[in-house]
PDB file of all heavy atoms in Angstrom:
ATOM      1  N   GLY B 180     -34.149 -53.553  38.234  1.00  0.00           N
ATOM      2  CA  GLY B 180     -33.901 -54.971  38.259  1.00  0.00           C
ATOM      3  C   GLY B 180     -33.159 -55.413  39.539  1.00  0.00           C
ATOM      4  O   GLY B 180     -32.860 -56.564  39.515  1.00  0.00           O
ATOM      5  N   CYS B 181     -32.540 -54.490  40.194  1.00  0.00           N
ATOM      6  CA  CYS B 181     -31.608 -54.742  41.327  1.00  0.00           C
ATOM      7  C   CYS B 181     -32.015 -54.294  42.634  1.00  0.00           C
ATOM      8  O   CYS B 181     -31.637 -54.808  43.748  1.00  0.00           O
ATOM      9  CB  CYS B 181     -30.241 -54.259  41.023  1.00  0.00           C
ATOM     10  SG  CYS B 181     -29.316 -55.171  39.829  1.00  0.00           S
ATOM     11  N   VAL B 182     -32.850 -53.175  42.614  1.00  0.00           N
ATOM     12  CA  VAL B 182     -32.936 -52.362  43.880  1.00  0.00           C
ATOM     13  C   VAL B 182     -33.701 -53.090  44.973  1.00  0.00           C
ATOM     14  O   VAL B 182     -33.718 -52.592  46.107  1.00  0.00           O
ATOM     15  CB  VAL B 182     -33.458 -50.977  43.525  1.00  0.00           C
ATOM     16  CG1 VAL B 182     -35.064 -51.068  43.155  1.00  0.00           C
ATOM     17  CG2 VAL B 182     -33.336 -50.065  44.616  1.00  0.00           C
ATOM     18  N   ASP B 183     -34.473 -54.272  44.628  1.00  0.00           N
ATOM     19  CA  ASP B 183     -35.162 -54.902  45.637  1.00  0.00           C
ATOM     20  C   ASP B 183     -34.077 -55.456  46.780  1.00  0.00           C
ATOM     21  O   ASP B 183     -34.453 -55.610  47.916  1.00  0.00           O
ATOM     22  CB  ASP B 183     -35.975 -56.062  44.999  1.00  0.00           C
ATOM     23  CG  ASP B 183     -35.100 -57.053  44.245  1.00  0.00           C
ATOM     24  OD1 ASP B 183     -34.065 -56.708  43.731  1.00  0.00           O
ATOM     25  OD2 ASP B 183     -35.460 -58.263  44.253  1.00  0.00           O
ATOM     26  N   GLN B 184     -32.877 -55.765  46.245  1.00  0.00           N
ATOM     27  CA  GLN B 184     -31.908 -56.277  47.301  1.00  0.00           C
ATOM     28  C   GLN B 184     -31.612 -55.133  48.196  1.00  0.00           C
ATOM     29  O   GLN B 184     -31.474 -55.503  49.466  1.00  0.00           O
ATOM     30  CB  GLN B 184     -30.625 -56.620  46.547  1.00  0.00           C
ATOM     31  CG  GLN B 184     -30.704 -57.614  45.284  1.00  0.00           C
ATOM     32  CD  GLN B 184     -29.482 -57.764  44.546  1.00  0.00           C
ATOM     33  OE1 GLN B 184     -28.625 -58.569  44.828  1.00  0.00           O
ATOM     34  NE2 GLN B 184     -29.214 -56.734  43.562  1.00  0.00           N
ATOM     35  N   ARG B 185     -31.488 -53.907  47.839  1.00  0.00           N
ATOM     36  CA  ARG B 185     -31.153 -52.781  48.701  1.00  0.00           C
ATOM     37  C   ARG B 185     -32.375 -52.507  49.644  1.00  0.00           C
ATOM     38  O   ARG B 185     -32.302 -52.442  50.870  1.00  0.00           O
ATOM     39  CB  ARG B 185     -30.819 -51.553  47.949  1.00  0.00           C
ATOM     40  CG  ARG B 185     -30.325 -50.462  48.950  1.00  0.00           C
ATOM     41  CD  ARG B 185     -30.229 -49.137  48.226  1.00  0.00           C
ATOM     42  NE  ARG B 185     -31.624 -48.528  48.017  1.00  0.00           N
ATOM     43  CZ  ARG B 185     -32.010 -47.673  47.131  1.00  0.00           C
ATOM     44  NH1 ARG B 185     -31.096 -47.258  46.298  1.00  0.00           N
ATOM     45  NH2 ARG B 185     -33.249 -47.169  47.172  1.00  0.00           N
ATOM     46  N   TYR B 186     -33.585 -52.470  49.093  1.00  0.00           N
ATOM     47  CA  TYR B 186     -34.767 -52.011  49.792  1.00  0.00           C
ATOM     48  C   TYR B 186     -35.199 -53.199  50.800  1.00  0.00           C
ATOM     49  O   TYR B 186     -35.561 -52.913  51.992  1.00  0.00           O
ATOM     50  CB  TYR B 186     -35.940 -51.679  48.875  1.00  0.00           C
ATOM     51  CG  TYR B 186     -37.080 -50.939  49.605  1.00  0.00           C
ATOM     52  CD1 TYR B 186     -36.923 -49.690  50.081  1.00  0.00           C
ATOM     53  CD2 TYR B 186     -38.281 -51.713  49.869  1.00  0.00           C
ATOM     54  CE1 TYR B 186     -38.007 -49.141  50.732  1.00  0.00           C
ATOM     55  CE2 TYR B 186     -39.263 -51.160  50.526  1.00  0.00           C
ATOM     56  CZ  TYR B 186     -39.228 -49.809  50.929  1.00  0.00           C
ATOM     57  OH  TYR B 186     -40.209 -49.157  51.568  1.00  0.00           O
ATOM     58  N   ALA B 187     -35.129 -54.338  50.320  1.00  0.00           N
ATOM     59  CA  ALA B 187     -35.766 -55.416  51.228  1.00  0.00           C
ATOM     60  C   ALA B 187     -34.830 -56.503  51.631  1.00  0.00           C
ATOM     61  O   ALA B 187     -35.306 -57.454  52.185  1.00  0.00           O
ATOM     62  CB  ALA B 187     -36.928 -55.980  50.312  1.00  0.00           C
ATOM     63  N   GLY B 188     -33.624 -56.485  51.184  1.00  0.00           N
ATOM     64  CA  GLY B 188     -32.604 -57.443  51.526  1.00  0.00           C
ATOM     65  C   GLY B 188     -32.522 -57.776  53.090  1.00  0.00           C
ATOM     66  O   GLY B 188     -32.815 -58.919  53.483  1.00  0.00           O
ATOM     67  N   ALA B 189     -32.383 -56.732  53.854  1.00  0.00           N
ATOM     68  CA  ALA B 189     -32.310 -56.951  55.284  1.00  0.00           C
ATOM     69  C   ALA B 189     -33.516 -57.506  55.876  1.00  0.00           C
ATOM     70  O   ALA B 189     -33.464 -58.273  56.775  1.00  0.00           O
ATOM     71  CB  ALA B 189     -31.915 -55.630  55.976  1.00  0.00           C
ATOM     72  N   MET B 190     -34.719 -57.100  55.271  1.00  0.00           N
ATOM     73  CA  MET B 190     -35.935 -57.453  55.848  1.00  0.00           C
ATOM     74  C   MET B 190     -36.144 -59.003  55.760  1.00  0.00           C
ATOM     75  O   MET B 190     -36.795 -59.634  56.581  1.00  0.00           O
ATOM     76  CB  MET B 190     -36.976 -56.846  54.864  1.00  0.00           C
ATOM     77  CG  MET B 190     -38.502 -56.764  55.474  1.00  0.00           C
ATOM     78  SD  MET B 190     -39.629 -56.446  54.077  1.00  0.00           S
ATOM     79  CE  MET B 190     -39.145 -54.710  53.600  1.00  0.00           C
ATOM     80  N   THR B 191     -35.464 -59.702  54.736  1.00  0.00           N
ATOM     81  CA  THR B 191     -35.733 -61.023  54.511  1.00  0.00           C
ATOM     82  C   THR B 191     -34.752 -61.958  55.284  1.00  0.00           C
ATOM     83  O   THR B 191     -34.990 -63.202  55.351  1.00  0.00           O
ATOM     84  CB  THR B 191     -35.532 -61.390  53.087  1.00  0.00           C
ATOM     85  OG1 THR B 191     -34.103 -61.126  52.702  1.00  0.00           O
ATOM     86  CG2 THR B 191     -36.396 -60.667  52.136  1.00  0.00           C
ATOM     87  N   CYS B 192     -33.694 -61.487  55.793  1.00  0.00           N
ATOM     88  CA  CYS B 192     -32.606 -62.231  56.465  1.00  0.00           C
ATOM     89  C   CYS B 192     -32.838 -62.613  57.857  1.00  0.00           C
ATOM     90  O   CYS B 192     -32.459 -63.645  58.410  1.00  0.00           O
ATOM     91  CB  CYS B 192     -31.293 -61.527  56.337  1.00  0.00           C
ATOM     92  SG  CYS B 192     -30.721 -61.099  54.673  1.00  0.00           S
TER      93      CYS B 192
END
Side-chain angles (χ1 to χ4, degrees):
Chain B
C181 281
V182 72
D183 62 329
Q184 302 173 98
R185 187 194 77 202
Y186 190 75
M190 196 197 299
T191 63
C192 297

